[in-house]
């Protein structure tokens, strides 16, 4: 199936919002522009074979303007196609620069070069016949449904183009429209991305306020913890939830599958049925809708990225003007759609910071030794955290180094000032059941120590 149909079908089947569809890359319109560019090149006498002959090594050049020593042609006919940016705006200005060395033309043995040189020279001289100032920039225009070559009437080319002796510059009308349309569409995609990012951040803030309110009750606190743990374990948008690494970002099909798995696991655990408030259920739906919206944005970005790549590839195939790498490089800094951080990275990062941390996971507050909640957490000088009881036990056994990193005397040097007060408050507030269980276990151990003790008892 042709890509134009695939693009249209995807936008319909994925239920992309109408506003987004209007901002999408207009693949069919751009294809028509390419056809007109080809006609303008053929009007100049440059067939596809001729263009390949003249422009075959231009893929290695990203130069916007030539230096004096670069403009001296080594061959009687040298053509290069350039993309420049306006100094006053982000407008992309394409132009074809051709150098004709009349003195060396007769020495050429290649008939095609001679024919092209003569044809281009005659066309340009005819177009510039009435030009008294010796202007060397001409443009192809459509006049009365016919293409004509005439001196440029605008200063667009003059703004960025330097023309030297034995050179002429030809401005094509349709390629200017092609790149202008494409640049404008990328601006629309930037706008959609920015607007959606703001919208999703607002949604995260709203859901965070709701979750914070609901989790004041122990039952919903544990239900939301279970829900968020299932969400994190599902790794929907990133492998291992590494949102700082774009390389770990999931593909569209994997995200779709992970979202379904997440919803399925929520149903299986019946965590929603255990929620005490209808508003808590509504907050979950808002949370799930947020993830679906983010997924839809990523789909939209993906199909437009593919459309951009394919339309530039088609431009090169039809025109031999070699812009697939140069155009993105030229305008990349102007468009967050192309070089900005992934919206998935941004939104998932904010979600983790503002929402998921509201209900801490027990793994983040567990003692590495007893694997239970690190009640009365002691943070050693090396940074590792353990429950006070485990550290006291280790100290009584004569072990004074950190059991994680072997930092020398880290346990021996710890005292009451090493109590992580902030973590202690979070543990008391967020893990009341685990703290109660921990205290029971401590009481049992203390009782056994009292019964069997021949010496001191661990308090």
């Amino acid at each position: 199936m042709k890509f134009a149909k695939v693009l249209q079908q995807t936008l319909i089947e994925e239920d992309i919002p109408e506003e987004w569809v209007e901002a999408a890359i207009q693949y069919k319109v751009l294809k028509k522009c390419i056809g007109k560019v080809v006609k303008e090149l053929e009007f100049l006498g440059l067939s596809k074979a001729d263009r390949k002959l003249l422009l075959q090594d231009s893929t290695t050049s990203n130069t916007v303007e030539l230096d004096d020593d670069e403009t001296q042609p080594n061959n009687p006919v040298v053509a290069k196609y350039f993309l420049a940016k306006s100094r006053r705006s982000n407008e992309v200005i394409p132009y074809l620069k051709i150098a004709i060395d009349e003195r060396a033309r007769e020495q050429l043995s290649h008939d095609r070069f001679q024919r092209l040189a003569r044809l281009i020279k005659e066309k340009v001289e005819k177009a510039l016949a009435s030009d008294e100032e010796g202007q060397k920039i001409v443009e192809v225009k459509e006049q009365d449904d016919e293409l004509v070559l005439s001196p440029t009437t605008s200063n667009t080319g003059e703004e960025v183009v330097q023309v030297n002796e034995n050179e002429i510059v030809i401005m094509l009308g349709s390629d200017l429209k092609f790149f202008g349309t494409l640049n404008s569409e990328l601006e629309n995609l930037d706008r959609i991305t920015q607007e959606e990012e703001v919208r999703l951040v607002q949604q995260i803030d709203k859901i965070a306020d709701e979750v914070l309110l609901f989790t004041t009750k122990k039952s919903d606190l544990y239900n939301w913890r279970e829900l968020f743990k299932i969400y994190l374990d599902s790794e929907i948008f990133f492998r291992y939830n590494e949102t700082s690494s774009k390389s770990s970002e999931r593909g569209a099909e994997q995200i779709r599958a992970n979202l379904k798995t997440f919803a399925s696991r929520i149903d299986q655990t019946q965590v929603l049925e255990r929620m005490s408030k209808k508003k808590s259920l509504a907050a979950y739906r808002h949370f799930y809708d947020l993830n679906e919206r983010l997924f839809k944005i990523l789909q939209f970005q993906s199909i437009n990225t593919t459309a951009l790549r394919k339309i530039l590839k088609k431009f090169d195939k039809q025109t031999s003007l070699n812009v697939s790498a140069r155009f993105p490089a030229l305008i990349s800094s102007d468009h967050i759609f192309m070089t900005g951080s992934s919206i998935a990275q941004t939104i998932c990062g904010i979600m983790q910071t503002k929402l998921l941390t509201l209900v801490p996971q027990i793994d983040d507050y567990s003692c590495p030794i007893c694997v239970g909640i690190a009640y009365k957490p002691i943070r050693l000088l090396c940074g590792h955290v353990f429950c006070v009881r485990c550290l006291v036990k280790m100290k009584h056994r004569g072990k004074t180094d950190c059991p994680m990193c072997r930092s020398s005397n880290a346990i021996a040097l710890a005292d009451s000032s090493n109590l992580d007060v902030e973590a202690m408050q979070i543990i008391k507030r967020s893990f009341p059941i685990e703290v109660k269980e921990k205290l029971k276990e401590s009481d049992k151990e203390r009782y056994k120590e009292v019964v069997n003790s021949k010496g001191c008892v661990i308090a």
Side-chain angles (χ1 to χ4, degrees):
M1 186 184 296
K2 291 185 177 180
F3 180 75
K5 289 185 178 180
V6 172
L7 175 60
Q8 185 178 12
Q9 185 175 325
T10 301
L11 294 174
I12 294 172
E13 290 180 352
E14 299 299 338
D15 194 26
I16 300 297
E18 186 61 33
E19 181 188 1
W20 296 10
V21 174
E22 292 176 0
I25 290 177
Q26 305 300 308
Y27 194 83
K28 286 185 177 180
V29 174
L30 292 169
K31 273 183 67 177
K32 290 181 179 178
C33 278
I34 293 174
K36 290 183 178 181
V37 173
V38 171
K39 287 182 179 179
E40 291 176 1
L41 290 168
E42 290 176 345
F43 165 75
L44 293 173
L46 298 175
S47 66
K48 191 170 185 176
D50 293 333
R51 296 194 297 273
K52 286 184 176 180
L53 179 67
L54 292 177
L55 302 161
Q56 59 185 344
D57 63 348
S58 63
T59 54
T60 59
S61 174
N62 289 325
T63 308
V64 173
E65 294 182 5
L66 293 176
D67 297 328
D68 290 341
D69 58 340
E70 292 177 312
T71 58
Q72 299 302 320
N74 296 320
N75 296 311
V77 179
V78 174
K80 287 195 176 183
Y81 187 72
F82 292 90
L83 298 178
K85 264 200 308 189
S86 170
R87 298 187 181 95
R88 296 173 296 180
S89 67
N90 288 331
E91 181 184 11
V92 175
I93 302 171
Y95 59 94
L96 181 64
K97 180 178 280 193
I98 300 176
I100 303 175
D101 188 344
E102 178 67 23
R103 294 169 299 174
R105 184 160 61 106
E106 295 180 357
Q107 299 176 10
L108 279 178
S109 59
H110 202 302
D111 292 339
R112 186 182 291 177
F113 271 124
Q114 292 187 15
R115 177 180 60 79
L116 286 176
R118 183 169 59 254
L119 180 63
I120 294 171
K121 186 172 184 297
E122 289 175 355
K123 280 182 175 288
V124 171
E125 286 179 345
K126 184 177 180 181
L128 297 175
S130 60
D131 182 44
E132 297 180 356
E133 298 181 3
Q135 185 178 11
K136 293 182 179 181
I137 302 178
V138 295
E139 58 183 325
V140 179
K141 298 180 181 178
E142 190 171 340
Q143 185 174 305
D144 298 329
D145 295 327
E146 291 185 359
L147 293 176
V148 297
L149 191 65
S150 62
T152 183
T153 56
S154 68
N155 63 354
T156 301
E158 295 176 351
E159 181 192 354
V160 296
V161 181
Q162 177 183 350
V163 190
N164 298 288
E165 187 179 357
N166 295 324
E167 286 183 341
I168 55 97
V169 168
I170 300 176
M171 312 287 292
L172 306 176
S174 296
D175 63 349
L176 183 63
K177 182 179 179 181
F178 175 87
F179 291 112
T181 300
L182 199 51
N183 212 22
S184 177
E185 289 166 353
L186 289 172
E187 289 176 355
N188 288 333
L189 293 174
D190 289 342
R191 175 179 56 80
I192 293 293
T193 301
Q194 290 174 316
E195 289 176 354
E196 286 302 317
E197 185 173 313
V198 170
R199 174 177 173 169
L200 292 177
V201 171
Q202 290 174 343
Q203 282 184 272
I204 291 172
D205 289 337
K206 183 179 179 181
I207 297 169
D209 290 340
E210 293 172 339
V211 171
L212 195 59
L213 179 64
F214 303 146
T215 52
T216 55
K217 284 193 172 184
K218 186 192 297 183
S219 59
D220 273 358
L221 169 66
Y222 280 83
N223 287 329
W224 276 100
R225 173 173 295 122
E226 184 177 359
L227 190 153
F228 283 160
K229 187 176 190 312
I230 294 171
Y231 179 79
L232 289 168
D233 289 345
S234 299
E235 298 178 1
I236 295 173
F237 295 99
F238 291 87
R239 295 191 303 276
Y240 320 115
N241 295 306
E242 291 181 355
T243 60
S244 61
S245 174
K246 193 169 184 178
S247 62
S248 66
E249 188 172 334
R250 302 284 194 185
E253 291 307 313
Q254 187 63 58
I255 294 173
R256 190 198 304 274
N258 289 349
L259 272 173
K260 288 183 179 179
T261 300
F262 167 64
S264 176
R265 289 184 61 191
I266 291 295
D267 290 340
Q268 291 170 5
T269 57
Q270 297 184 329
V271 64
L272 299 180
E273 285 79 353
R274 298 197 302 272
M275 287 187 172
S276 61
K277 293 184 178 181
K278 290 183 179 180
K279 288 184 178 179
S280 201
L281 293 173
Y284 165 72
R285 287 193 289 270
H286 296 158
F287 176 68
Y288 190 83
D289 290 344
L290 182 149
N291 282 272
E292 279 202 320
R293 183 80 173 189
L294 178 56
F295 173 52
K296 200 176 290 293
I297 295 169
L298 295 175
Q299 284 182 298
F300 182 65
Q301 286 186 326
S302 177
I303 194 68
N304 279 285
T305 299
T306 302
L308 174 64
R309 176 176 55 80
K310 283 186 172 291
I311 200 64
L312 291 175
K313 185 177 179 181
K314 183 171 285 293
F315 185 95
D316 283 350
K317 184 177 180 180
Q318 297 293 328
T319 67
S320 301
L321 296 177
N322 306 306
V323 300
S324 293
R326 289 187 288 157
F327 176 75
L330 181 66
I331 53 86
S332 62
S333 61
D334 302 324
H335 298 289
I336 60 171
F337 176 79
M338 299 186 66
T339 58
S341 63
S342 162
I343 191 171
Q345 285 180 281
T346 302
I347 297 303
C348 289
I350 294 173
M351 202 185 303
Q352 287 184 355
T353 303
K354 289 189 173 184
L355 180 57
L356 302 181
T357 55
L358 290 177
V359 188
Q361 296 297 320
I362 193 168
D363 290 346
D364 297 326
Y365 294 90
S366 295
C367 172
I369 298 175
C370 66
V371 199
I373 193 74
Y375 183 64
K376 291 187 179 178
I378 302 298
R379 187 176 296 277
L380 302 181
L381 293 176
C382 58
H384 292 111
V385 178
F386 306 87
C387 66
V388 65
R389 189 167 178 79
C390 286
L391 291 183
V392 171
K393 286 179 180 180
M394 291 195 68
K395 195 169 185 180
H396 284 168
R397 292 171 190 155
K399 298 184 181 296
T400 58
D401 297 342
C402 173
M404 297 296 289
C405 67
R406 306 301 177 192
S407 178
S408 180
N409 286 327
I411 296 176
L413 295 172
D415 55 28
S416 59
S417 65
N418 289 85
L419 177 68
D420 192 327
V421 177
E422 183 180 351
M424 183 66 176
Q425 291 174 344
I426 294 173
I427 288 171
K428 284 182 176 180
R429 181 177 65 250
S430 302
F431 304 97
I433 294 176
E434 288 81 0
V435 168
K436 187 176 181 180
E437 185 64 30
K438 183 82 170 188
L439 291 174
K440 282 184 179 180
E441 291 176 1
S442 296
D443 287 341
K444 287 180 181 179
E445 283 189 22
R446 190 178 296 109
Y447 175 76
K448 289 180 181 179
E449 290 166 1
V450 169
V451 172
N452 301 319
S453 175
K454 293 182 179 179
C456 61
V457 176
I458 300 175

